[in-house]
Amino acid sequence: MEALKECTANLVVYLHPSKAKKVEAAVYRELSSLLFKFNEALDGVVLSYEPKFSSNLAKILPGIHPYFGVRFEAKLLLFNPKPEVLLEGEVVKVGQQSIHIIVLSFSSAVIAEEDIREDFKYKIKHGKEVFVSRSNKKHRIKVGTMLRFSVKNFDEEILHICGSLIPANTGNVQWLETKAEESQAYSITEKSTGNKRAAELLEPDNLITAIFLCPNSHATKFP
């Protein structure tokens, strides 16, 4: 997924002296407070972390209760969906005016009616709401569908995404992947057929013998 990225960051955590005997546990506790929140310094929502401690030294800060700072390196997995980036999520609600999705089990997304391309028509089938493609009835969007959509904007405070189904490469993930596989198979078949036809044309029985007559010369055959 394009909105996911890994990075390595040099961090400092300031701990109370009472945590001196269990530094690593205290650091993990502080890091866990960053999870599923947008961090401006890291430019993303922290989804996971893996700290690496290279030293047991700490810097003590002066004060009535002298906290000490622990420096370490951490591998982080960040989520930051930029506009026009493609995301995938599970459809949890379908209505005539909107489609609601959950992305990575924590971020909600909505696609408003004006952001659903005209190819999709809203219907109620067997008591269930669904969007069906006018050009291919097998392309459907309903509750439970894994949906690929484009990001319009991302609210960093509430981790809410506004999406779009206007681009042609968006829609039901399973249908899109099946279509891509069929197109690739067709392309390979066409290439194979073209190569076979070219080979047939080069066979001796299919070669054309040309005769050129030049003034004051004997006839010459090619090839």
Side-chain angles (χ1 to χ4, degrees):
M1 192 179 294
E2 296 178 52
L4 292 175
K5 65 176 181 180
E6 290 184 334
C7 75
T8 301
N10 294 314
L11 304 175
V12 181
V13 171
Y14 295 101
L15 303 174
H16 189 273
S18 62
K19 309 294 182 182
K21 291 184 178 180
K22 296 182 179 179
V23 172
E24 288 193 16
V27 169
Y28 273 97
R29 192 177 299 108
E30 291 295 322
L31 286 174
S32 66
S33 67
L34 300 177
L35 290 175
F36 305 112
K37 297 176 183 177
F38 187 86
N39 189 294
E40 291 186 4
L42 298 171
D43 191 31
V45 179
V46 180
L47 300 184
S48 69
Y49 53 81
E50 184 181 338
K52 181 180 179 182
F53 303 95
S54 58
S55 173
N56 59 356
L57 299 178
K59 182 180 180 180
I60 299 176
L61 300 179
I64 299 175
H65 298 289
Y67 280 67
F68 60 95
V70 180
R71 295 181 181 274
F72 59 94
E73 184 181 89
K75 289 183 179 179
L76 305 171
L77 179 62
L78 304 174
F79 175 71
N80 190 6
K82 302 289 186 181
E84 299 184 5
V85 162
L86 293 177
L87 291 181
E88 294 180 5
E90 183 179 355
V91 176
V92 294
K93 183 180 179 181
V94 173
Q96 188 170 3
Q97 298 180 335
S98 62
I99 299 173
H100 298 260
I101 309 110
I102 290 294
V103 179
L104 296 175
S105 301
F106 79 92
S107 182
S108 62
V110 64
I111 301 173
E113 183 180 12
E114 61 268 22
D115 296 312
I116 302 173
R117 61 180 181 271
E118 293 183 359
D119 182 54
F120 285 109
K121 183 179 180 181
Y122 172 81
K123 291 183 178 182
I124 297 179
K125 283 185 165 291
H126 308 294
K128 296 182 179 181
E129 297 173 291
V130 60
F131 277 93
V132 182
S133 170
R134 301 173 195 269
S135 57
N136 192 317
K137 292 183 179 180
K138 291 184 179 180
H139 191 184
R140 300 184 176 190
I141 299 171
K142 58 184 180 180
V143 172
T145 296
M146 284 302 296
L147 190 68
R148 182 177 298 154
F149 62 96
S150 175
V151 175
K152 285 187 68 178
N153 58 68
F154 176 51
D155 189 318
E156 299 169 355
E157 291 293 326
I158 60 175
L159 307 184
H160 185 269
I161 303 164
C162 287
S164 169
L165 284 176
I166 298 299
N169 60 343
T170 58
N172 184 313
V173 173
Q174 184 177 2
W175 186 88
L176 290 170
E177 290 181 349
T178 300
K179 183 182 177 183
E181 289 172 0
E182 290 175 351
S183 297
Q184 185 178 10
Y186 177 79
S187 177
I188 293 173
T189 302
E190 284 291 294
K191 185 177 180 180
S192 177
T193 302
N195 291 339
K196 183 178 180 182
R197 179 59 181 159
E200 289 174 351
L201 292 173
L202 291 174
E203 291 180 358
D205 292 342
N206 293 322
L207 293 177
I208 299 174
T209 300
I211 300 177
F212 297 92
L213 294 176
C214 302
N216 303 320
S217 65
H218 297 288
T220 304
K221 287 187 177 183
F222 295 95

